[in-house]
Structures are given as C-alpha cells and as structure tokens.
Amino acid sequence: MSETRAQVPQEPGGDPAGPIESTGEHIRLAETHSAHNYAPLPVVIAEGDGAWVTDVEGRRYLDCLAGYSAVNFGHRNPDLVAAARRQLDRVTLTSRAFYHDGFAPFVTALADLAGKGQVLPMNSGAEAVETAIKVARRWAYDVKGVPRDEASIVVAGGNFHGRTTTIVSFSDDPDAYGGYGPYTPGFRTVPYGDAEAVAAAVDSTTAAVLVEPVQGEAGVIVPPPDYLPRLRELCDRRQVLLIADEVQSGLGRTGTVRACEHTGVVPDAYLFGKALGGGIMPVSAMVADEDVLGVIKPGQHGSTFGGNPMACAIGATVVRMLREGPYLGDARRLGELLRTRLKEFEGRGVVAARCIGLWAGIDVAPELATGRRMCELLAERGVLVKDTHGSTIRLSPPLVVSDDDLDWALDQIAAVLTDLGAGRA
Ligand code: PLP
C-alpha cells in the first residue's frame, strides 16, 4: 500500500526503521503486511547485546529465549561478529561449484568436534533434517538392500523437526500438519521415550530412527536415561541408522556439545543448526561417517547457500568457541542455578519443571495462566520467554547470561506467579 511505501527512506543506507516511530505502529504495519504465521509478543526489538535486547522505545529485556538456542553465544558475540566482518571483506558466496578457503577448515573442525568423518552443510535446521531423511533412504536402498521405495523411518510422537511438507507429514501437532496434505509416506510414529515401541515399529524396511535427544518444542522433555542407549543397541542389532536431531539441543545448550553425551550414546548421524550460525545467519549440517554420507554422489543433493564462505567462517568460529571458550562449563553451572531455583517453584504455581543444562520447560498450573499469558506478564517485567503447548513456557537464555541476571529473571517468574495468585489458599 502507498502508506507503507511512503515510509521507506528514499536515501540508500537510510535506517529502514527510522520513519516508524512507535511500537504500536511497527506492529500495525507488520500485521498488515506480513502473513500471520506467528503471533509475536508485542515487543519490537531494535538492538541486542549479550543476553539483553532493547526495544524501539528503549526498554531493555533479558532474552531468555535466545532464538530457540540460535543465539547461544549471545547477541552480537564479539568473536562471531569479528569473524563475520573479516569474511565480509573477503568473499561471501561462491556456491559449491567451486571450493573456497573457508570450507575445508569448517568441515574439518565440525567433523572433529562431533567425532565423525564428514559434514554435509545446509542452512536451516529443517534442511538438515531433510538431508538426513534423504541420506537414510539412499543408505537403506544402496547399503541395506531395502526394496526400492519401501524404506521407513521411525520417529517419536511430540517431535518437532521443522516445517517442510515432508517433515510435517510426521508431526502429530495439528497446527504443524493440518491442511498440508497429501502427506509424505514412509514414517512410523511411536511414543517418545518408549524404546519398546521403537523396537516394535522397526522391521526389515527400516532405514533410520530419527529422534531429538531432548524434545525442545514439546516442552524440554528429557527421555528416560536408558532410552537412547536402548535405541543404540536396537539400531545396531537391526542394521538401522540412529539419527540424533541436535538442532536445538546441541552446541552447548545442555552443557555438552551434543545432548547425546549425557547418556554416552554415539548416533550414526548428528543434525546441527541454530547455534551453528552464531545467531547471525542460518547454518546447519548433517555430520556422520563416510559409510553413511558417502551414499550421496555429486548432483544428488545440495543447496546454493549451503557451506558458503560466510557460513563457514561463522561455523568454524562457533566450533572453536565451543572447544576453547567457557560456554559448556557456564551452561552447566548456570543450569544448576536454574534447576535449584525452579524446583522451589514446584507446587507454588508450577506443576513441573524439567531442566537439562541451561534449558528448562516449566509447566505452569493451568488454572493460573496460559503459557502465553505468562509470557506477556514476564515481558512486562522485562523478561522474554516463549510458551509452547498449553501452559508450558521454555527458558533457554544465552549461555553468556550472568548469574545475577539469571537470578533476576527467576525472581520475575516468582513475582508473576505470586501476582497470579500462586500459593494462595
Ligand atoms: N529440529 C529441531 C529439533 C528443532 O527444534 C527445529 C526448530 O525449532 C528444527 C529442527 C528446524 O529448524 P529450522 O527452524 O532452522 O528449520
């Protein structure tokens, strides 16, 4: 509409947000001119620094979502910004038609970090998952000898692996899959955490078991400790690939590089995303050994942007930071603080709190508030979190949050619960 066009600055390099002055006007224009595929909280962020963001009216918020873990290292982490700036002055995109001098360092470092031999870089998390589905199917036909077009993949109920048509085909969330059929066949869904159900679903056509080591979107659901080990044993016995979707759980969130480490399980493939892009751009990857990734030959899979110089510069820096920086230890230490304080809330407005590393799912008593309402009240107090199903909220602050700031955020949760009447007879 002409109304919007008139507000876009004419001068190249002008601040595109400049002419829009208030939070309300930003939201009005956004809601008018963007699809309503999200229902954001009424906060318009203008700047980020570490664990904090500032809105267009100068209000500060502690970002306890961190881009669903994409901002694990904090907003504008200086090491990551420096790496991106250096790369901006050299070359940003080549396509994989050629090699570039950041590619080998990145794939070598990431493979090594994951303890695997090879990397197939993509962009979004969903693309890494799609890559894994394709690799698993090819592997089933070429290596396992499954009859053509009969390969099956076992997945878990409550999963969230992304938004493509194939991925939503095996979602059991009606919001995610409803209205998008016809659906891609070849998936069997069994309850999360139930190794026996997986065993019952596996047959001679099974290419892979695809699982989140901790289910993020489902509300930070940590499976029983013997779940992944039993899946590992089953997959070995039945010649099935075990694929761990670590897009949200990996790269520091749980205090380890891979959430799988908590149970000592080594899957056949890891999927990384989110934090691999340093909060700067989408970078994802499937990481496995040559006997798995080797089934893909030139021309059989790829992406124009996958493994681009900018992505590799940032991704290699993320790997170095995880190896050399304080992030994993900090996530563990802060996670203990989070766990201890959240336990105090149980029975006082919180039905259950699940914690692993610096990551928590908090089930608020449904009679007190919906998750959405909690998020709105917390935003008013300067804490940004995101609800998930029903009355559950998730906490995943940047790993650079200070102890005091985390403590303060937990004080705000306590205050909101009290305001809502928690603990009153
Ligand atoms: N896998 C998991 C476990 C996720 O949590 C997500 C996103 O939340 C994805 C895959 C999809 O990632 P993206 O949104 O980058 O496509």
Side-chain angles (χ1 to χ4, degrees):
M1 283 166 77
S2 55
E3 179 192 8
T4 348
R5 264 187 231 124
Q7 291 175 319
V8 174
Q10 301 303 306
E11 293 298 315
D15 177 0
I20 309 176
E21 301 216 315
S22 68
T23 297
E25 187 62 355
H26 273 282
I27 293 175
R28 191 185 69 74
L29 285 169
E31 292 305 311
T32 306
H33 296 296
S34 76
H36 296 173
N37 55 330
Y38 284 89
L41 291 173
V43 173
V44 182
I45 295 168
E47 279 176 32
D49 184 14
W52 290 85
V53 293
T54 307
D55 77 5
V56 286
E57 300 189 20
R59 283 183 292 254
R60 294 181 80 228
Y61 302 83
L62 188 65
D63 180 2
C64 287
L65 179 64
Y68 305 91
S69 289
V71 191
N72 272 1
F73 305 101
H75 292 276
R76 294 189 299 117
N77 181 291
D79 289 342
L80 289 161
V81 168
R85 285 222 171 95
R86 275 194 303 275
Q87 197 59 43
L88 267 181
D89 287 335
R90 296 182 64 240
V91 61
T92 52
L93 192 73
T94 54
S95 90
R96 293 286 310 281
F98 316 107
Y99 293 93
H100 64 79
D101 68 0
F103 190 75
F106 170 58
V107 293
T108 307
L110 183 59
D112 190 54
L113 184 78
K116 296 287 185 191
Q118 294 191 343
V119 170
L120 199 164
M122 297 293 282
N123 309 286
S124 68
E127 285 174 293
V129 174
E130 286 279 348
T131 301
I133 293 167
K134 289 167 78 173
V135 168
R137 286 179 170 180
R138 276 209 93 97
W139 176 88
Y141 303 131
D142 298 355
V143 177
K144 184 168 174 174
V146 171
R148 200 56 62 184
D149 295 341
E150 286 183 21
S152 61
I153 294 178
V154 180
V155 298
N159 69 70
F160 187 87
H161 295 286
R163 298 285 194 176
T164 66
T165 41
T166 287
I167 293 172
V168 300
S169 295
F170 56 88
S171 167
D172 53 14
D173 175 357
D175 277 343
Y177 73 78
Y180 297 131
Y183 300 107
T184 307
F187 299 95
R188 297 177 186 164
T189 307
V190 298
Y192 187 61
D194 186 343
E196 265 158 47
V198 177
V202 165
D203 66 16
S204 60
T205 69
T206 307
V209 173
L210 168 64
V211 71
E212 294 160 85
V214 176
Q215 284 191 331
E217 294 303 298
V220 190
I221 311 291
V222 183
D226 66 344
Y227 179 58
L228 290 176
R230 288 179 70 186
L231 296 191
R232 179 66 279 175
E233 187 276 320
L234 171 74
C235 289
D236 284 342
R237 195 159 35 81
R238 301 297 303 268
Q239 200 194 0
V240 168
L241 298 177
L242 180 59
I243 301 172
D245 181 346
E246 297 256 17
V247 166
Q248 198 165 160
S249 59
L251 308 180
R253 176 51 56 194
T254 72
T256 53
V257 169
R258 297 145 290 175
C260 284
E261 289 170 53
H262 290 277
T263 49
V265 165
V266 178
D268 298 291
Y270 297 103
L271 310 179
F272 296 119
K274 297 196 192 281
L276 193 56
I280 297 178
M281 63 187 293
V283 183
S284 69
M286 176 172 183
V287 186
D289 281 329
E290 209 269 336
D291 59 345
V292 176
L293 276 176
V295 300
I296 299 284
K297 304 286 185 266
Q300 295 178 348
H301 186 58
S303 148
T304 303
F305 290 93
N308 69 69
M310 195 67 173
C312 290
I314 292 168
T317 307
V318 165
V319 172
R320 184 177 53 72
M321 288 165 66
L322 282 168
R323 280 204 178 286
E324 298 170 8
Y327 304 100
L328 300 178
D330 285 351
R332 288 194 288 269
R333 192 194 73 257
L334 291 157
E336 275 314 306
L337 176 70
L338 182 63
R339 176 196 304 277
T340 311
R341 290 241 21 218
L342 285 179
K343 285 293 156 198
E344 291 166 16
F345 298 166
E346 279 185 351
R348 291 197 220 156
V350 167
V351 180
R354 297 166 295 279
C355 235
I356 179 164
L358 190 53
W359 201 14
I362 306 167
D363 302 334
V364 176
E367 65 277 13
L368 278 192
T370 60
R372 170 77 186 192
R373 185 75 192 121
M374 281 294 295
C375 292
E376 287 165 354
L377 293 170
L378 282 166
E380 283 170 18
R381 288 178 166 274
V383 177
L384 296 183
V385 293
K386 179 76 179 80
D387 56 309
T388 181
H389 311 281
S391 290
T392 300
I393 57 172
R394 273 165 304 172
L395 249 64
S396 51
L399 310 182
V400 299
V401 69
S402 72
D403 295 42
D404 285 349
D405 286 348
L406 182 62
D407 223 19
W408 173 81
L410 289 157
D411 289 344
Q412 305 316 305
I413 296 177
V416 166
L417 290 170
T418 306
D419 289 350
L420 287 167
R424 267 181 235 144

